[in-house]
Amino acid sequence: MAAVLERITAEGALTSRDFEHDGQRGTHFWWGWKPQKIALDYLWRCGVLHVAARRNFHKVYDLTQRVVPSHAALPHPGEAEHVEWACRTALDRLGAASARDIVKFWHALSIDQVKRWLAQASTSGEVIPVLVESADGSSPPRPAFAPADITARIPRLPKPPVGMRLLCPFDPVLRDRARAKRLFNFDFRFEGFVPAAQRTHGYYVMAILEGDRFVGKVDPKFDRSTGTLKIGRLWWEPGVKVTRARRSAFEAGVERLATWIGAGDVEIAADARRMLKS
């Protein structure tokens, strides 16, 4: 870590590729990290380094004090302050959560730290125990915790949006696969790190959210050379019937995604078109 930090301090922003390593590395394409990459990631997570940019998916690291000096000048929080922030912000965003759900949200705490915080917050009356049902009743209610004012928050929630949304695979509602399955009976997995031959749905499969229900998955690809958003395959969840309104909503959702990413054209493959007619 000292050597990595010394080079970045002297030379400026660098990527992992700027550090040579002749020792044996892991064989996995994504996670066979060399020691310098581990050091870079650790220093980034500690706040010593900051990701200043990305080059072809690779992080470009620089000193935090050079990238965001106002942030670097802030006082460093202690452990108690860090635990308070991580637990409270995770629970606020999740609404109701188990200790495991809170751990998974930021990946910044141990399960023991979260359990101790929940015990203290319950004793002080800031957090209350609740039972959480799955959206479709497919699994029994499970114990969890919620902010003490949860019953006042629920009536203020906005109504689900009309139409369909194609959700990024890293959306907070999806990235905890076990929680998505438990709450919504929706089994979703990002397969970008899965070898192509072993993928079930696709490299960048997206979830289809219709109102407050997950109704399917879609395999899109943006061809930047032609400016075309290509829809390769489409899967509906069990029990989802393809109506004229649902087909129109899906097409509108695809057009919305195309607008967001700057695609000038949309191309729907034959396999996906068949699923729109079934």
Side-chain angles (χ1 to χ4, degrees):
M1 285 191 291
V4 164
L5 193 57
E6 183 179 355
R7 277 198 60 188
I8 291 179
T9 301
E11 301 176 31
L14 298 172
T15 70
S16 175
R17 289 188 170 187
D18 294 314
F19 294 88
E20 296 296 330
H21 177 61
D22 297 329
Q24 184 177 2
R25 293 175 57 187
T27 57
H28 194 286
F29 177 77
W30 287 100
W31 307 123
W33 285 6
K34 57 191 176 186
Q36 291 91 337
K37 170 59 178 173
I38 297 172
L40 287 166
D41 196 68
Y42 180 82
L43 291 167
W44 167 51
R45 290 178 180 274
C46 289
V48 176
L49 297 180
H50 198 84
V51 177
R54 286 182 182 266
R55 297 175 190 156
N56 298 324
F57 293 103
H58 295 282
K59 297 183 182 75
V60 180
Y61 301 89
D62 201 353
L63 298 178
T64 298
Q65 64 202 52
R66 288 201 289 238
V67 182
V68 279
S70 59
H71 180 77
L74 294 173
H76 290 190
E79 180 183 354
E81 188 178 358
H82 171 66
V83 171
E84 169 71 18
W85 170 83
C87 288
R88 192 171 300 281
T89 54
L91 188 58
D92 280 342
R93 287 159 173 78
L94 293 169
S98 66
R100 177 196 168 279
D101 294 336
I102 294 174
V103 169
K104 296 276 285 185
F105 192 86
W106 292 121
H107 292 281
L109 300 173
S110 70
I111 189 71
D112 289 339
Q113 287 175 307
V114 173
K115 286 181 177 179
R116 284 195 296 269
W117 182 86
L118 285 170
Q120 294 168 0
S122 296
T123 300
S124 66
E126 299 172 88
V127 168
I128 59 173
V130 296
L131 288 176
V132 180
E133 297 179 335
S134 59
D136 64 353
S138 60
S139 62
R142 298 199 181 192
F145 295 89
D149 64 344
I150 187 67
T151 55
R153 294 188 187 195
I154 291 174
R156 299 198 298 265
L157 292 173
K159 293 182 179 180
V162 177
M164 287 189 183
R165 300 289 191 276
L166 274 58
L167 295 191
C168 162
F170 305 111
D171 190 279
V173 78
L174 296 171
R175 60 191 176 94
D176 187 340
R177 184 182 183 186
R179 182 174 181 270
K181 175 67 174 176
R182 184 176 75 244
L183 292 183
F184 308 109
N185 196 21
F186 186 64
D187 191 8
F188 183 86
R189 179 177 69 160
F190 174 63
E191 298 183 314
F193 302 138
V194 177
Q198 299 176 23
R199 291 174 189 150
T200 301
H201 297 105
Y203 174 78
Y204 199 81
V205 62
M206 301 180 78
I208 305 172
L209 180 66
E210 182 181 47
D212 59 0
R213 178 188 179 191
F214 289 104
V215 296
K217 305 177 183 77
V218 63
D219 178 26
K221 182 178 181 180
F222 183 26
D223 185 343
R224 288 176 173 79
S225 64
T226 63
T228 304
L229 173 61
K230 298 182 178 181
I231 304 298
R233 291 177 294 171
L234 170 65
W235 300 265
W236 298 113
E237 288 293 285
V240 175
K241 296 181 179 179
V242 183
T243 63
R244 182 178 298 177
R246 185 162 278 149
R247 182 165 54 247
S248 297
F250 174 78
E251 292 172 347
V254 171
E255 290 290 346
R256 190 165 182 255
L257 175 63
T259 300
W260 280 354
I261 65 176
D265 194 16
V266 172
E267 180 182 300
I268 300 180
D271 284 348
R273 289 195 178 279
R274 278 195 293 271
M275 295 300 292
L276 288 171
K277 295 177 181 178
S278 60

